[in-house]
Amino acid sequence: MVESNPPLLNNYLQHSNKISAPDCNDEERKLVIRECQLPLIDLNALNSLDKSERQACSEAISKASSEWGFFQLVNHGISTELLRKMRREQARLFLTPFEKKVTCGVLNNSYRWGSPTATCLKQLSWSEAFHVPLDKVSEPACYGEFTSLREVMIEFATEMSKLARLLAGVLAENLGSQREEFDDICHESTCFLRLNHYPVCPVSPNISAFVPHTDSDFLTILYQDQVGGLQLMKDCKWVAVKPNQDALIVNIGDLFQVKSSFI
């Protein structure tokens, strides 16, 4: 194992000799049918002088949210340079030795790794992450020696928050609601900036970087790297999402689905 990686192998060995009941979805999970292109939405159309173009963009967001629960955004307003800076700082943080990440208290002590509640291999995630409350991002005490990370995180969180509010407003209007009704959901006290890292697994190709799940949030905006690996369930089949270096991915979460059912 590389020094900077968490001791995920220990978790694997703890669960490797456990026999669990077969999962009826196991075979489905092995079948990734094809690589797909998510619905692609050009957000520039929302600023068009043509009312029909703005309406078409809004309807495309609504349709993709309903039919896929996912879509890609281009011309989203987040600069390429800012995305690159965020990736550089994130990589530097995760390359820090495991013992230091666990004990240094960086980013509001939000470091986590693996699956502490896993009872068998199919519940084991080969991953590590920092999940930072948005209202803690600007606090100097959160960063320790990672001073350059703070500046980038603040800028990144600010721009992503603007984009999240814009999308929430569009989704609210498509449900016949007022944008203000969704403001509390996008408040910084209820939002997180998540830094995720999925180390190479040298043990087995059947170990998931992250186990199958649904997002409990209102919506998630994902900056995906070009390695790929993101998969989603579409029409009861797993499909692999083809990376697009110019796009951000939006995932509609459980909270939005619950809220929309009452409107």
Side-chain angles (χ1 to χ4, degrees):
M1 296 286 286
V2 179
E3 182 185 5
S4 60
N5 287 345
L8 294 161
L9 184 59
N10 294 348
N11 278 8
Y12 176 87
L13 294 174
Q14 288 171 12
H15 299 301
S16 61
N17 60 353
K18 294 180 182 178
I19 300 175
S20 57
D23 187 336
C24 62
N25 292 321
D26 279 350
E27 290 305 315
E28 287 183 0
R29 290 173 183 170
K30 294 176 184 176
L31 297 176
V32 179
I33 304 302
R34 58 187 170 84
E35 189 174 58
C36 75
Q37 285 279 10
L38 293 178
L40 186 65
I41 295 171
D42 186 341
L43 212 55
N44 265 347
L46 281 184
N47 299 317
S48 173
L49 297 176
D50 187 329
K51 182 178 179 180
S52 63
E53 287 187 12
R54 296 197 303 273
Q55 183 64 29
C57 181
S58 177
E59 290 175 356
I61 291 174
S62 179
K63 182 179 180 182
S65 300
S66 175
E67 295 182 358
W68 282 80
F70 283 81
F71 55 89
Q72 295 181 105
L73 285 179
V74 292
N75 294 315
H76 41 68
I78 313 295
S79 74
T80 301
E81 180 56 29
L82 176 57
L83 292 172
R84 287 173 178 168
K85 286 195 293 185
M86 187 68 251
R87 187 177 298 286
R88 285 197 299 268
E89 292 293 337
Q90 179 173 338
R92 175 172 170 254
L93 179 63
F94 280 118
L95 282 171
T96 304
F98 170 71
E99 292 77 11
K100 187 171 185 178
K101 284 180 287 193
V102 170
T103 60
C104 69
V106 69
L107 296 182
N108 201 44
N109 289 300
S110 64
Y111 181 67
R112 58 192 68 187
W113 60 280
S115 306
T117 60
T119 59
C120 59
L121 286 179
K122 66 185 177 185
Q123 298 172 355
L124 178 63
S125 292
W126 204 277
S127 64
E128 59 178 335
F130 289 89
H131 291 181
V132 190
L134 214 59
D135 57 358
K136 302 293 185 182
V137 165
S138 62
E139 294 184 3
C142 283
Y143 293 88
E145 67 185 71
F146 297 93
T147 53
S148 59
L149 175 62
R150 179 174 182 263
E151 179 182 342
V152 176
M153 287 271 283
I154 292 173
E155 184 181 1
F156 189 77
T158 299
E159 294 303 312
M160 281 293 187
S161 294
K162 290 178 184 176
L163 179 56
R165 291 177 188 276
L166 174 63
L167 294 172
V170 171
L171 292 168
E173 290 179 349
N174 282 327
L175 290 172
S177 303
Q178 297 297 317
R179 288 175 178 254
E180 292 75 17
E181 293 182 37
F182 283 44
D183 280 350
D184 58 331
I185 293 176
C186 291
H187 190 272
E188 64 177 17
S189 64
T190 63
C191 299
F192 287 81
L193 181 56
R194 306 179 192 273
L195 309 180
N196 299 306
H197 177 226
Y198 307 106
V200 174
C201 177
V203 180
S204 169
N206 295 323
I207 298 296
S208 299
F210 204 69
V211 296
H213 66 284
T214 60
D215 278 5
S216 59
D217 306 326
F218 182 78
L219 61 81
T220 299
I221 303 174
L222 171 66
Y223 175 39
Q224 185 184 21
D225 63 23
Q226 298 309 299
V227 175
L230 177 64
Q231 298 172 7
L232 60 90
M233 181 71 77
K234 172 66 172 169
D235 299 327
C236 298
K237 296 177 182 178
W238 287 100
V239 294
V241 177
K242 184 177 181 179
N244 182 337
Q245 65 179 357
D246 299 317
L248 296 175
I249 293 176
V250 178
N251 176 16
I252 304 301
D254 297 340
L255 181 58
F256 174 77
Q257 295 183 52
V258 171
K259 193 170 184 67
S260 63
S261 67
F262 288 97
I263 294 178

